[in-house]
Amino acid sequence: MYAERASRLSGAVVWTNTPSGPGPGRVLPDGCMDLLWYDGRLLVAGPDTRAHVTEGGAGAWAGVRFCPGTAPALLGVPADALRDRRVELTDLWPTARARRLAARVNAAADPATGLDEAALARAAEAGPPDPLLARVVAALDAGRPVAATADALGIGARRLHRRSLAAFGYGPKTLARVLRLQRALALARNGTPLAEMAARTGYADQAHLTREVRELAGAAPGELLSGG
């Protein structure tokens, strides 16, 4: 069973998941990175460009999901180095440092609480996030074209692309596609018909929506909404 709540760190989400069966699961691209806990170990989930299919093994998971663009400064690694990857924290940090953090999380009342506390501590050490990144996300999530976003921010398309790779793990065009996918699925979960959903989220038509969802999520919209 999956459950989530707002983190004490602004914009982040703390979640827990205990698979209900042995079958694989599906994690959809959302522009975020996660710090994960499983069986006493800490891992990092990088930004996805396509659905990540989990192995479906037994055991509880916990995680803190950072809002797009914020995790690299907290974890000390550029997002594009972790694109479509899940890696042990010990592969990214000195072993002793990673083990100290794991011990702190394991000593908490529960792993989710420990991860939340760890995220707050890292944020205090790293300082406030770059406000430009939040503006990039807001503009693209509102459907603004990439070129118009770069012009509005006054940084130029090439610089926007470089900043996006390091912060989000991919260029702004891919980030825009991922954010649009999430907007569309949110409408669908509220019962919006597919044709209306396509029009409201900027797809050319329902067929375009279906192709994009298949490419990014690995399944048709109906399959995702039915849990298939």
Side-chain angles (χ1 to χ4, degrees), residues 64-212:
V64 56
R65 181 177 305 116
F66 302 103
C67 59
T70 60
L74 302 182
L75 300 176
V77 60
D80 55 332
L82 298 176
R83 183 171 53 239
D84 293 319
R85 299 177 62 198
R86 271 68 177 155
V87 301
E88 299 270 357
L89 187 61
T90 51
D91 293 335
L92 305 176
W93 287 10
T95 300
R97 182 185 178 202
R99 287 178 175 171
R100 283 196 300 270
L101 185 60
R104 176 176 176 178
V105 172
N106 289 324
D110 58 79
T113 298
L115 288 170
D116 200 14
E117 293 172 350
L120 278 174
R122 287 297 306 134
E125 295 171 4
D130 184 349
L132 180 106
L133 301 177
R135 293 172 63 193
V136 171
V137 173
L140 297 177
D141 198 27
R144 178 170 291 192
V146 171
T149 298
D151 289 343
L153 297 175
I155 62 173
R158 289 185 179 181
R159 187 178 171 202
L160 174 60
H161 187 80
R162 290 195 301 270
R163 294 288 299 274
S164 294
L165 286 177
F168 309 116
Y170 27 66
K173 289 184 178 180
T174 298
L175 177 61
R177 291 177 66 206
V178 167
L179 295 174
R180 181 168 62 175
L181 168 72
Q182 290 295 328
R183 293 199 308 274
L185 292 177
L187 288 174
R189 294 184 186 106
N190 288 330
T192 304
L194 292 182
E196 180 184 346
M197 181 173 72
R200 289 176 60 180
T201 50
Y203 293 98
D205 50 31
Q206 185 174 331
H208 180 209
L209 162 70
T210 299
R211 289 194 303 272
E212 281 282 288

Side-chain angles (χ1 to χ4, degrees), residues 43 49 56 60 63 88 186 188:
L43 306 92
T49 59
E88 299 270 357

